[in-house]
Amino acid sequence: MKKIIKTIIASALLSISTPSLAQSETLPSSAFSQLNIVEQPTISPNGELIAAVYNTDGATQQVVISPFGKVDLTTILKLRNQSERIVKLRWVNNERLLVSADYPEHMYGSSRRVGQLFAVNKDGSELKEIKLRKLTDTKDWSWLVSGDQIVSMLPHDPEHILLQQVSERDNYFPSVYKINVYSGSSEKFAPSLQKPSYFIGDSTGRSVVAVAVEDLTRTFYLWQEDAGQWKEIGSYEAFEEDGFTPVLYEPANNTLIVKTYQKSDKQEVWRYSLDTDEWVEPLFQNETYDVASVMEHNGQVIGFGYTADMPEVEFIAPAFKQRQALVENTFKGMNPIVVDFDKSVNKLLVKTYSASGPSRFYFIDLANKAGGLWMALQPALENKQFPAKQPIEFEASDGLVLNGYLINGGDADRPLVVMPHGGPWQRDTQVFHPLEHMFVNAGYAVLQVNFRGSSGFGSSYEARGYGEWGQRMQQDVLDGVAWVKEQQLADVDDSCVVGWSYGGYVSLFAATNTPTQFNCYVSIAGVSDINAILEDTRAGETAQMVDNIMVGDRDSEQGKAHLEAISPIASFGKLKRPTLLVHGTGDVVVPDDQSEAFYKAAKGYNLPVELLLLENGTHSLDSNPNRKQAFDRVINFVKANIE
């Protein structure tokens, strides 16, 4: 069967898997600004349908349904306005879907996205909003509104889920409720701990693990339906002890599956016994990278995800391991990953990744020996020729070995666009991204540096970035530019910095502290005032304590003075080169007043600064109209300032 399915799929790919070898053409920015046509495709348990988020040409998102293996999309749910975004889709059973969504709200001095949950039939009928109770205006609600409060999908109960909710009777702390996804009726499953908490379910739907967060202490409790009470099972102090994050409770063995740094500098996955308080066995270890995800199926761990240069998976369940091997053998050189499957595990969705072109989704039907392309996510960029991202490694000025990526198409004369990533506790990968390749297509080289503080490379690498905003993390990016110049890989004397989120901070800090090193600076959703953003978006005491460690002390006068000193707005008067600020008015991660305040300050002194505000734009600018405006303005700005 493997040979047959491989032949079928290979023949289906002949006309679409290889990019055109014709001379690369210069494309308009609109070709790169389009969001992926679909996101989060998920197969119904019986394998008959695929549900997905559809990004329209307008600003609102839709939920669509398609027969498995066909591109015959039917809309079953439209969001009400452009500020709402779909967070996640889940099949409850073969007939009904759960749709998690959220919208921005500014309350009590803080900006958050407030969660919503809808249930809808596959034909769009019987739409039901499962309302999350809101806190009164006298309470700190910031930990509540995460946008997705589902504790367990209860795989053996097709009409119910376990949901985290709050109640006035529990002093506005969360409890776990059993919810009917048709009627919305609820009954309490597990009571509140009377502490800020979040919950993790098990495969049987009869147990729940609670993680209570108090200051920097993480305490774990177990609720078993038969026992009817919470039992403390462990605790640790964040940043002081090597802790762990529970992923799954295994009631048969009274064990936890956890992600942990206790055994290595890299985050691993272990099985931990609650009976003996001992580490039983490692389930995933990698010498170079942290685990990113733990994959489950029917309450069992089936594999693990991590990111090297490309996303990688390692399945341990035999059936899934076999299927991933088949996929890799079929889609050679396309970095394929099985991303979803039906209950029988015979119908698969595969996502491919490339360093030189957009991703695609393919379908495989093992039972019927069929397969082929389901969806090309960026049609305007299909079969175009783009230079590939190349991994790089170099030493920072203090000797730390750093990594990153360079795209220059083998042409050392290309002007350089420096693109520091966001987070800062994220990382860049080798995966094709439209914004980067918009610059490459226009004739520029692109440099990305995984500066210290980037995540995925172990706890030490990340911790080296704590408290280093505007300092060693900033210098790492400049060291990367110096390395490119030394290696003669691009024209560094004609260059610009373009950053998003924390990357926008890097760009603004460079604009005000190395104001003549680059021709221009672009900040998309960037931070200009650190003290202000910490006050605006992180209201809880625990969040403040975390900020004090990871960003800088904001409790003492000396600490606040330091944060002010490394805030670009404190040095706006040093601005000398053209600087563009782009921000969405619906951004709750970095509010748009961060860009507006910097713009007003600099413009007041007639300094070279521009501002583009995008109505209802989120932090990711994840609507096609907003992206089109932003990408067009950014590329034209860079072209105007780099000859």
Side-chain angles (χ1 to χ4, degrees), residues 477-529:
V477 176
L478 299 180
D479 288 345
V481 175
W483 179 82
V484 169
K485 183 172 185 176
E486 178 185 341
Q487 300 296 314
Q488 299 182 353
L489 296 172
D491 181 2
V492 173
D493 295 327
D494 260 343
S495 57
C496 186
V497 185
V498 178
W500 201 313
S501 191
Y502 173 80
Y505 165 85
V506 173
S507 182
L508 285 181
F509 191 87
T512 53
N513 287 270
T514 51
T516 59
Q517 179 169 350
F518 301 94
N519 297 51
C520 60
Y521 305 86
V522 177
S523 168
I524 305 173
V527 176
S528 69
D529 186 335

Side-chain angles (χ1 to χ4, degrees), residues 387-579:
K389 278 190 189 182
Q390 299 296 334
I392 61 172
E393 189 174 273
F394 63 94
E395 280 193 11
S397 51
D398 66 349
L400 181 65
V401 177
L402 303 172
N403 68 76
Y405 301 93
L406 180 71
I407 319 171
N408 70 356
D411 181 1
D413 293 327
R414 286 175 176 248
L416 183 67
V417 174
V418 184
M419 297 189 67
H421 66 70
W425 300 285
Q426 297 176 5
R427 59 157 295 185
D428 280 314
T429 73
Q430 198 177 4
V431 176
F432 175 94
H433 190 279
L435 179 60
E436 300 153 11
H437 277 82
M438 179 179 72
F439 292 113
V440 175
N441 184 251
Y444 303 101
V446 169
L447 171 68
Q448 297 171 303
V449 176
N450 282 320
F451 42 79
R452 71 196 69 202
S454 300
S455 61
F457 303 103
S459 59
S460 297
Y461 198 90
E462 180 176 316
R464 286 177 181 269
Y466 292 171
E468 293 292 341
W469 286 46
Q471 298 176 96
R472 283 303 332 179
M473 288 197 296
Q474 189 81 14
Q475 187 60 46
D476 287 347
V477 176
L478 299 180
D479 288 345
V481 175
W483 179 82
V484 169
K485 183 172 185 176
E486 178 185 341
Q487 300 296 314
Q488 299 182 353
L489 296 172
D491 181 2
V492 173
D493 295 327
D494 260 343
S495 57
C496 186
V497 185
V498 178
W500 201 313
S501 191
Y502 173 80
Y505 165 85
V506 173
S507 182
L508 285 181
F509 191 87
T512 53
N513 287 270
T514 51
T516 59
Q517 179 169 350
F518 301 94
N519 297 51
C520 60
Y521 305 86
V522 177
S523 168
I524 305 173
V527 176
S528 69
D529 186 335
I530 299 175
N531 278 315
I533 192 174
L534 294 183
E535 289 297 329
D536 185 64
T537 62
R538 293 159 173 80
E541 291 183 9
T542 297
Q544 292 181 29
M545 299 175 84
V546 171
D547 289 336
N548 286 349
I549 294 171
M550 300 180 75
V551 182
D553 177 20
R554 59 179 174 130
D555 289 336
S556 69
E557 291 304 315
Q558 182 179 1
K560 287 182 178 180
H562 169 71
L563 293 178
E564 181 179 352
I566 60 171
S567 293
I569 198 167
S571 304
F572 75 87
K574 298 178 183 178
L575 199 70
K576 288 183 171 60
R577 297 282 170 85
T579 300

Side-chain angles (χ1 to χ4, degrees), residues 347-404:
K347 291 185 175 179
L348 312 174
L349 269 178
V350 174
K351 188 174 185 179
T352 60
Y353 297 88
S354 171
S356 58
S359 293
R360 303 174 180 135
F361 283 114
Y362 295 86
F363 73 94
I364 298 177
D365 185 343
L366 295 173
N368 293 305
K369 302 178 179 62
L373 178 69
W374 180 62
M375 190 75 69
L377 299 183
Q378 295 277 335
L381 304 180
E382 274 294 300
N383 296 319
K384 307 297 182 184
Q385 184 180 11
F386 300 106
K389 278 190 189 182
Q390 299 296 334
I392 61 172
E393 189 174 273
F394 63 94
E395 280 193 11
S397 51
D398 66 349
L400 181 65
V401 177
L402 303 172
N403 68 76

Side-chain angles (χ1 to χ4, degrees), residues 197-217:
S197 314
Y198 65 92
F199 304 91
I200 300 164
D202 75 349
S203 60
T204 68
R206 303 187 66 182
S207 306
V208 167
V209 172
V211 183
V213 181
E214 297 178 283
D215 297 333
L216 296 181
T217 303

Side-chain angles (χ1 to χ4, degrees), residues 7-27:
T7 302
I8 292 172
I9 296 174
S11 64
L13 301 182
L14 285 178
S15 64
I16 56 178
S17 62
T18 304
S20 168
L21 298 179
Q23 180 65 34
S24 177
E25 59 182 300
T26 301
L27 301 172

Side-chain angles (χ1 to χ4, degrees), residues 271-292:
R271 177 172 280 118
Y272 183 82
S273 172
L274 297 177
D275 290 329
T276 63
D277 291 328
E278 293 178 342
W279 299 96
V280 178
E281 59 179 330
L283 300 180
F284 174 85
Q285 297 170 311
N286 187 287
E287 294 182 355
T288 308
Y289 305 105
D290 293 335
V291 65

